[in-house]
Each structure stands twice: as structure tokens, then as C-alpha cells.
């Protein structure tokens, strides 16, 4: 899309929970995405308290986890529940299945549970080009059946349907938003969905990621991704664009307007900036982007085509160390907070509670000990490469590599980081630091500068990680991963 920028590509369905901004007429204020693909997730009650402490009044979920919905009871937080893409086929082909889903995941919580559900997100970026059309025939029927189920349950005036779509569903033939239109291969179904949303008083939800524009195009002008007034600005028939968010958003507005839906409400379902895993993903850029967006948001300034305030949901609340990294290593670092619920940087969200982010309370960490490479270990040992590959495949090594927070470690440091990541993910079990003849446990923090060897938090139950198997029997079966390029 050139300077039009990009949505976030390759997003996986099972991504987690998201906090979102709601339609005009409901509570004002920014929303945040709350993902749950973590090996050690914070308890829902702690996260809900974080939301309230930070003045966040809206939350969007990627599913309808009952534990999370229970924690949101009587919280005053408005909710968007989600339907994963892998459920679209069933819901598209069965009205009964849609009615059961609405009864279990919406009606039950609204009527007796005191959960303020406002939206049902049907699918999550189902038309991503990387999905090769897998959900093109099921998204609209699923949307129609969920709407019918909401109507039958008497909730259709209170709870609206939507489909969170990636910004790759539209494009411009030039750098100007006014040349925008829907992607030709999905234009027919997009027009059907847009008409259905319009007919039912529902919003169009889009995820916009200026970071991806920078990530995918080395020639993309860095400053155009932010909100500091990039020059030379794009002049589109008298409308001036000095940041890619405005240009991307208004490309969608033009696509809607050209097809007769120029007044359809738009929600920005996800917008944010990652802090690690890529040379452009760091704390400074994330703070600059998110604060720039929040300053624009709090000023009530919209875009040239939609001057009224933008409805938007920051992505995301907390890092997710178990997300797929197929789109890039940055996928695990979108949070404004680390895994333990502590803020990464200062950010004014516009609440009356001060200018900084408020972290989670009552979070306990494991003991201050780390698994590292023995000083006496032989780097030429044929167990080194498969040990590192095993550790990184079963933990999180996305802070290693060019331009990342731990990108300046030497070979010993890289190996130690991998071992420690595996050790922490497995709750510091002794058996998780028994890489043959290579590893040892230490109480000396191996962190160096901005590269933090983190200690895992204590959780009530194991998250998505499995328990340690027999390393000696498994190691031989592993093929070298890309990570090995980091040390040799």
C-alpha cells in the first residue's frame, strides 16, 4: 500500500483478549487489547483491577472466556466478546449453534451476571491475504446467524455485531486516500458485510498498524509512522496527511463512501507499537507512538475525512510470551505492560488518575535465580546447538537478534538467555536447567544494560506451557532452528 501503510498481518485467531473503544453514545475513553496467549497469565481479577486503576472503561475479548467474563461482572467496564475464526464454519452452517453460543456467552452474562457486553466480534481478521480465502464464504453467514440469535434473545438493540478486519481489506492505487477501494478479490463479500453492518446499526472495525508499514518496507519514511507532523505531507485534494494512521483510516472512509456507506461508524479495533523483537520495536518508539496517538485522541481530533474523535483500542495491554511469531518476533511484545503487569514506559491515557500507567498489585515472582551457561562449558560441544534450539522452541528467545534489547550479547550471553528463558517458563524446576554438561543455576543476575534476564511470576496454574520432559532423550530429535544463527 506504499505510504498508505498497513494493518497487522499474519495475526493468529487464538490471540487472546483485547480491550476496545466503543461506539458513539456509549462511554468515552480509550480501550485496550488484553491478550491471553501467555505461559503465565495474570489472574483475571488482577487484570480487571489494572483496567480500573488506569481508568480504562472498555475491553474487547478475542473469545468469551467464562473466567474473564466473571471477573468483569459489575466492573463498569464495557465488553466486546469475540468468536475465533475456527468457529466460523460451525456458526455459518447452524442457526442453532449460533443461538447456543449467544445464550452461553452473551445472554447468560448480561441477564444475570452483570457483564456489560456491547459487541460480539465475529471472527478476527478473517480476510487476511495470508489466509488464502479460508474464511471468505463463512464470515458473512456466521455474522448473519449471530445477529439473528441476538435478535431472538432480545439483545439486538443493546449488543451489536462487528467483524474486526485487517487494514489489508482495502488499498489505494496511489499514496492518496481518495484513490482507496476494497481489495478486488474480496470486494463483493466486503460490500455485503458493509451493507449488513449498516442495516443493523453496527460499526466497521479495522486494525491499523503503522509499525507494520515500517517493518515490511525498508524505504518507508520512519517519521510518517508517528504523529509529529511528517513533511512533506501528502495533499489529497486539499486534505493534508502528515501521518500514515490518518491516511490509512481515510482510505477506508473513501472505500466506504464510494459504495454508499460514507456514514458507517468506524472503530479502530487495534492500534499500537511493539517494544522488542525487531530493530524498530523498542521502548522509545512505542512510547512515542502511543503517546502521540493518545495526545491526538485526547484532543478530540479525528482525521481529515472524519474530524470527530476516533474510537480506538490500544494493542495491547500485556505482553504475550506464547503467541505465534510467524508474522515476526515482535508479536510477543505489543504490551504496554510486561508479563508481570508492570508498566514499560510512561503513558498518559487521559484518565484523572495521573499521567503514568498503574501496574498490577500483588504479583509475586519466583526466587531470584537464573539458569546460565557454565563458564567451563565447551562451545564446540555438539550438544550446544540442539540445546539452544530446544530451549528457544519451548520458551521465548524473541529478545535476541539484530536490533533487539538483547542484540548485543556475546555467544555465552545468547546461550545463557535461551537456557534461562526455558528455566523460567518451567517455573524454575531443577530439571529445566539440566542441559547436558552445559548449564548451571546461579543467584547472580546475568542481565546486561537493557537486556533483562527476567524471573517468571508465580501463577495459580500453569498457563500454556507444558512440563519438562526428559531433555536427554528429546534433544537428539531437534533440528537446528533459526535461532542458532544468533550464536554461530
Amino acid at each position: 500500500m506504499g505510504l498508505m501503510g498497513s494493518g497487522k498481518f499474519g495475526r493468529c485467531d487464538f490471540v487472546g483478549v483485547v480491550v476496545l473503544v466503543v461506539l458513539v453514545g456509549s462511554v468515552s475513553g480509550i480501550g485496550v487489547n488484553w491478550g491471553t496467549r501467555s505461559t503465565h497469565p495474570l489472574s483475571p481479577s488482577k487484570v480487571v483491577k489494572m483496567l480500573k486503576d488506569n481508568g480504562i472503561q472498555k475491553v474487547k475479548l478475542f473469545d468469551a472466556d467464562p473466567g474473564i467474563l466473571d471477573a468483569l461482572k459489575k466492573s463498569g467496564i464495557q465488553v466486546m466478546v469475540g468468536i475465533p475464526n475456527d468457529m466460523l464454519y460451525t456458526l455459518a452452517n447452524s442457526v442453532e449453534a449460533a443461538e447456543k453460543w449467544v445464550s452461553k456467552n452473551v445472554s447468560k452474562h448480561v441477564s444475570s451476571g452483570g457483564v456489560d457486553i456491547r459487541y460480539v466480534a465475529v471472527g478476527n481478521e478473517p480476510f487476511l491475504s495470508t489466509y488464502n480465502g479460508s474464511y471468505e464464504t463463512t464470515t458473512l453467514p456466521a455474522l448473519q446467524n449471530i445477529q439473528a440469535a441476538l435478535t431472538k434473545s432480545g439483545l439486538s438493540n443493546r449488543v451489536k455485531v462487528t467483524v474486526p478486519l485487517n487494514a489489508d481489506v482495502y488499498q489505494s492505487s496511489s499514496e492518496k486516500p481518495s484513490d482507496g477501494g476494497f481489495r478486488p478479490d474480496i470486494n463483493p463479500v466486503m460490500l455485503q458485510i458493509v451493507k449488513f453492518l449498516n442495516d443493523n446499526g453496527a460499526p466497521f472495525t479495522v486494525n491499523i498498524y503503522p509499525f507494520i508499514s515500517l517493518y515490511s518496507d525498508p524505504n518507508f519514511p520512519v517519521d510518517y509512522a508517528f504523529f509529529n507532523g511528517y513533511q512533506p505531507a501528502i495533499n489529497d485534494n486539499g486534505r493534508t496527511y502528515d501521518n500514515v494512521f490518518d491516511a490509512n483510516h481515510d482510505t477506508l472512509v473513501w472505500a466506504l463512501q464510494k459504495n454508499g456507506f460514507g456514514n458507517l461508524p468506524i472503530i479502530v479495533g487495534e492500534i499500537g507499537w511493539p517494544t522488542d523483537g525487531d530493530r524498530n520495536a523498542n521502548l522509545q518508539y512505542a512510547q512515542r507512538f502511543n503517546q502521540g496517538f493518545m495526545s491526538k485522541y485526547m484532543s478530540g481530533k479525528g482525521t481529515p475525512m472524519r474530524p470527530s474523535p476516533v474510537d480506538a483500542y490500544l494493542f495491547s495491554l500485556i505482553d504475550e510470551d506464547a503467541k505465534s511469531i510467524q508474522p515476526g518476533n515482535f508479536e510477543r511484545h505489543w504490551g504496554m505492560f510486561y508479563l508481570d503487569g508492570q508498566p514499560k514506559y510512561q503513558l498518559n491515557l487521559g484518565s484523572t488518575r495521573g499521567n503514568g500507567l498503574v501496574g498490577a498489585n500483588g504479583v509475586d515472582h519466583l526466587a531470584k535465580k537464573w539458569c546460565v551457561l557454565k563458564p567451563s562449558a565447551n562451545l564446540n560441544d555438539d550438544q550446544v546447538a540442539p540445546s539452544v534450539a530446544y530451549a528457544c522452541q519451548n520458551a521465548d528467545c524473541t529478545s535476541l537478534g539484530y536490533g533487539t534489547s538483547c542484540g548485543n550479547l556475546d555467544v555465552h550471553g545468547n546461550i545463557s538467555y535461551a537456557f534461562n528463558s526455558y528455566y523460567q517458563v518451567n517455573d524454575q524446576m531443577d530439571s529445566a536447567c539440566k542441559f547436558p554438561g552445559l548449564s548451571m543455576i546461579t543467584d547472580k543476575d546475568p542481565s546486561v544494560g537493557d537486556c533483562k534476564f527476567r524471573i517468571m511470576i508465580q501463577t495459580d496454574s500453569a498457563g500454556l506451557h507444558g512440563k519438562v520432559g526428559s531433555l536427554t532423550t528429546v534433544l537428539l530429535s531437534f533440528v537446528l532452528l533459526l535461532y542458532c544463527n544468533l550464536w554461530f
Side-chain angles (χ1 to χ4, degrees), residues 1-5 175-177 210 213-214 219-235 240-248 251 273 288-289:
M1 291 173 70
L3 292 185
M4 287 302 97
E175 64 182 15
K176 297 180 178 180
S213 302
L214 199 55
N219 297 314
F220 190 87
V222 175
D223 289 339
Y224 193 50
F226 298 94
F227 298 94
N228 305 110
Y230 172 76
Q231 296 297 327
I234 292 172
N235 187 308
T240 302
Y241 293 90
D242 61 7
N243 69 84
V244 72
F245 170 80
D246 283 0
N248 189 303
T251 302
W273 199 281
R288 177 185 175 190
F289 180 85

Side-chain angles (χ1 to χ4, degrees), residues 365-370 423-424 427-428 442 455-456 458:
H365 291 77
L366 300 178
K368 290 186 177 181
K369 56 183 182 177
W370 299 262
Y423 178 62
Q424 302 297 337
D427 301 316
Q428 297 184 355
T442 180
I455 298 171
M456 188 51 73
Q458 294 182 22

Side-chain angles (χ1 to χ4, degrees), residues 331-409:
E331 278 295 324
R332 294 178 177 174
H333 303 278
W334 288 97
M336 296 180 289
F337 296 84
Y338 292 108
L339 287 174
D340 61 0
Q342 297 311 301
K344 295 180 178 181
Y345 46 82
Q346 289 301 302
L347 185 65
N348 180 4
L349 294 178
S351 74
T352 58
R353 305 175 188 229
N355 290 330
L357 296 173
V358 180
N361 294 319
V363 178
D364 295 319
H365 291 77
L366 300 178
K368 290 186 177 181
K369 56 183 182 177
W370 299 262
C371 179
V372 297
L373 181 70
K374 285 182 178 178
S376 60
N378 179 6
L379 292 181
N380 295 318
D381 189 319
D382 60 7
Q383 292 287 357
V384 171
S387 294
V388 168
Y390 179 81
C392 288
Q393 187 177 46
N394 291 279
D396 180 25
C397 293
T398 55
S399 292
L400 299 175
Y402 172 67
T404 61
S405 64
C406 295
N408 292 325
L409 292 180

